[in-house]
Structure formats: C-alpha cells, structure tokens
C-alpha cells in the first residue's frame, strides 16, 4: 500500500518542466504545420507566401485559438467541455442585445460576457468535481442550456449598429514592413485584428501558467494522479489529494468557460452580429485542435503552444483543400480526420 501511495504523489517540479511526451508532441505539431505551409507555398503558388495570408489565418481563427486553449486546460486535467461553442453563441447574442436593444456600452457588454462565462464555469466545475458527474454529461447539459438560452435572448440574427462597437470592430493593427503590392501596383499594408492580440496574449499567459506556476503544475497533477489513482484501485475521494484535485478540476472548468466567454467576445468583434447559429461546431474544432496539438484525452499531457499550432494546422488544411478547388465540405472533413489520426 505504501508503494501505491507513493505513486500518487504530485509530479515533481523538474519532472513537469521536462515532460518528454509533451515536448515530443509539441515538436511534431510544429513540424507538421511548417511542412504543410511550406508545401502550400511550393505547390499552390505565392499567395501563401504573402504575410497577410498568414495573418488572415490568425484573424479568422483568433476566437478558436482561445477556445482551444481553454479546452486544453480541461483535457490536461482529464476532462472535456463540449459547451464552449454554444457558450460563444450565447455571449455574442447577449452582447448584441445589450448593445442595440438595452442601450449598453461596450465595456458593460464585455463585462456581461465574462460574468456569463464565470457562472458557467462555477456551476459545471462544481458538478464535475464535487458531485463526480462525468464532464461529458455535465457539459453536454451546458451545451443544450446555452443553446436554449441564446434563442430566449433573441431568436433571429442581426448586425450590431452600436457606433462604439463598430469603431472597435473596424480597428486594425498594421504590421510594419509586412505589406505587399497588389495587381494595380498599390502597396497594401498587412494587418491583424484586435482579437489576434488577445489570442496571442492568452497563449503566452497560459503557457507561463502551465509551465512555471504552482496552479499550472496542479492541472497536470490532477490529470495524471486521477488516472493513476483509479488504475491503482484507490477511491480518489478518500486520498489526501481530494481537496487538491477538487479545487484543480473546478478551476480548470472555470478557466475554460471564462476563456470561452473571451473567445466569444473576440468572435463577436470579428463577425459583428448576434445569431443562434454562431460558432456552430466550434467545440469539435477546439477538441480537434487540442488533439492535433498533442493534448491527451487521458489527461496529464498537453501544451497550449501545441494547441496554438494545432489551430493553425487545422486552418491551413482547410485553406489548402479550398485552394485545390475541393470546395465540398466532405473533403475538408476527411482531411481533418486524417490529420487527427
């Protein structure tokens, strides 16, 4: 028994900082993305060589990067959250109605979005960690609840006319020296949207959190120790890790839902409208990006850096398939399936 108990100890600092599985998977993900992008440049023309082509990938997938990072946190803990897509739609619709129908400000709309995400995270984390309900079941209920609430808030799609929001949506951050000359001979500067800066900040902050903080190490320990405890025949609730794992799992779900609300804000800034169909299937794309990025469904292994490149790989696949003239949806799905495998 003593030997089994020792195996359940939280991983040491040096073990977590040098996890070979995570580093190898991260290297594979980055290499695969670079190989795909270089192949696209070589075989599909110089369009992919323009910096703006890469920036467009970031502009279109900034919200997915944030959602996928939150998903990776939960998956590292050995869980999953399939409510992030409909939560994004709920955030968009709530912000849109608040701005256009309730006379709200941009700041109050974003604060509302964060409160929605926080509430979702606390409830779902409590149900998973304290009541020991399967994360898939809890977040499946959350997915249907968010979908229903989105329709209750407003059942139709509409574009937001709020002047302050439109000014923020139209804001561009120009990248010096990265522009290109169009067919008319005019110089077109390269740019990214505000959401890209938010997404990059999230990736950097979470990378630091997971790699160099006690909280980040606890996420890995929760995922690794839960599996080890069950394999060893222990009741996890009776071990001395009960409070450690309870808090870690709740915080993981809270962080994932808050990130989903931030991703919803970024998505809202990109599309500029509210709709019950917004971010449809985003949860599956987030899971796929995390898996492609090297996050293991069994918990204990993963890296948001890999998740970032997983999103880029997923987007690059879709662009390559589209550039080949294979616009039918099944070609993209088949290619993504192959990439996941």
């Amino acid at each position: 028994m003593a030997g089994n108990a020792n195996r359940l100890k939280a991983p040491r600092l040096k073990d977590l900082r040098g996890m070979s599985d995570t580093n190898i998977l991260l290297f594979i993900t980055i290499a695969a993305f670079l190989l795909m992008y270089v192949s696209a440049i070589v075989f599909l023309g110089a369009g992919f060589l323009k910096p703006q082509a890469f920036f467009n990938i970031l502009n279109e997938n900034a919200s997915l990067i944030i959602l996928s990072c939150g998903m990776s946190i939960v998956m590292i803990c050995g869980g999953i959250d399939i409510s992030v897509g409909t939560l994004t739609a709920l955030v968009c619709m709530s912000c849109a109605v608040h701005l256009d129908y309730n006379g709200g400000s941009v700041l109050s709309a974003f604060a509302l979005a964060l409160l929605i995400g926080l509430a979702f995270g606390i409830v779902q984390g409590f149900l998973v960690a304290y009541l020991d309900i399967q994360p898939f079941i809890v977040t499946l209920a959350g997915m249907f609840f968010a979908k229903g609430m989105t329709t209750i808030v407003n059942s139709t799609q509409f574009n937001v006319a709020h002047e302050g929001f439109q000014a923020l949506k139209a804001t561009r951050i120009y990248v010096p020296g990265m522009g290109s000359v169009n067919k008319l001979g005019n110089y077109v500067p390269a740019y990214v949207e505000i959401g890209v800066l938010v997404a990059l900040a999230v990736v950097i902050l979470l990378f630091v959190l997971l790699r160099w903080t006690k909280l980040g190490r606890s996420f890995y320990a929760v995922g690794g120790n839960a599996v080890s405890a069950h394999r060893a025949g222990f009741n996890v609730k009776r071990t001395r890790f009960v409070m450690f794992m309870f808090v870690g799992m709740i915080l993981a779900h809270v962080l994932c839902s808050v990130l989903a609300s931030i991703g919803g804000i970024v998505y809202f800034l990109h599309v500029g409208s509210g709709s019950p169909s917004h971010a449809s299937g985003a949860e599956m794309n987030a899971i796929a990006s995390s898996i492609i990025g090297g996050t293991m469904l069994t918990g204990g292994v993963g890296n948001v850096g890999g998740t970032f490149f997983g999103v880029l790989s997923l987007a690059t696949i879709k662009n390559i398939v589209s550039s080949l003239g294979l616009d039918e949806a099944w070609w993209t799905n088949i290619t993504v399936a192959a990439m996941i495998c």
Side-chain angles (χ1 to χ4, degrees), residues 110-340:
F110 291 170
L112 174 63
L114 293 176
L115 287 175
I116 292 172
L118 182 62
F120 258 78
I122 291 174
V123 173
Q124 293 187 151
F126 177 81
L127 293 175
V128 171
Y130 186 76
L131 298 184
D132 200 24
I133 305 175
Q134 286 289 332
F136 181 86
I137 300 299
V138 171
T139 57
L140 179 66
M143 180 184 74
F144 283 109
F145 178 78
K147 189 172 184 178
M149 285 301 299
T150 303
T151 307
I152 289 176
V153 173
N154 195 296
S155 60
T156 59
Q157 179 175 343
F158 66 96
N159 295 323
V160 177
H162 190 278
E163 292 183 1
F165 171 77
Q166 286 296 330
L168 187 62
K169 179 181 181 298
T171 302
R172 300 288 184 265
I173 294 89
Y174 293 99
V175 184
M178 302 294 283
S180 59
V181 179
N182 62 18
K183 295 181 179 179
L184 300 177
N186 299 322
Y187 179 79
V188 180
Y191 69 90
V192 294
E193 298 176 2
I194 293 178
V196 174
L197 299 185
V198 176
L200 293 178
V202 167
V203 172
I204 293 171
L205 290 174
L206 289 181
F207 182 85
V208 173
L209 173 73
L210 290 174
R211 192 168 181 86
W212 289 299
T213 69
K214 185 177 180 180
L215 177 60
R217 295 193 294 274
S218 72
F219 289 148
Y220 287 106
V222 167
N225 282 322
V227 174
S228 300
H230 285 298
R231 286 179 178 174
F234 283 86
N235 183 346
V236 176
K237 287 188 174 181
R238 295 179 182 177
T239 71
R240 63 193 179 98
F241 294 108
V242 60
M243 186 57 66
F244 167 73
M245 299 182 72
F246 171 73
V247 174
M249 186 60 76
I250 283 185
L251 289 177
H253 278 277
V254 169
L255 186 56
C256 180
S257 294
V258 170
L259 287 172
S261 65
I262 295 174
I265 293 172
V266 170
Y267 188 94
F268 184 50
L269 284 171
H270 182 67
V271 298
S273 63
S275 172
S277 63
H278 273 341
S280 177
E283 62 281 344
M284 293 297 106
N285 287 330
I287 294 171
S289 299
S290 298
I291 293 173
I292 292 173
T295 304
M296 304 295 287
L297 283 169
T298 51
V301 177
N303 189 299
V304 292
T307 300
F308 173 73
F309 283 99
V311 174
L312 296 184
S313 298
L314 200 65
T316 302
I317 288 173
K318 294 178 180 180
N319 286 351
I320 290 175
V321 172
S322 177
S323 297
L324 290 173
L326 305 174
D327 294 327
E328 295 85 354
W330 61 77
W331 285 112
T332 300
N333 294 334
I334 290 173
T335 309
V336 171
M339 183 65 183
I340 291 175

Side-chain angles (χ1 to χ4, degrees), residues 100-119:
D100 271 15
Y101 295 163
N102 298 336
S105 66
V106 174
L107 288 179
S108 61
F110 291 170
L112 174 63
L114 293 176
L115 287 175
I116 292 172
L118 182 62

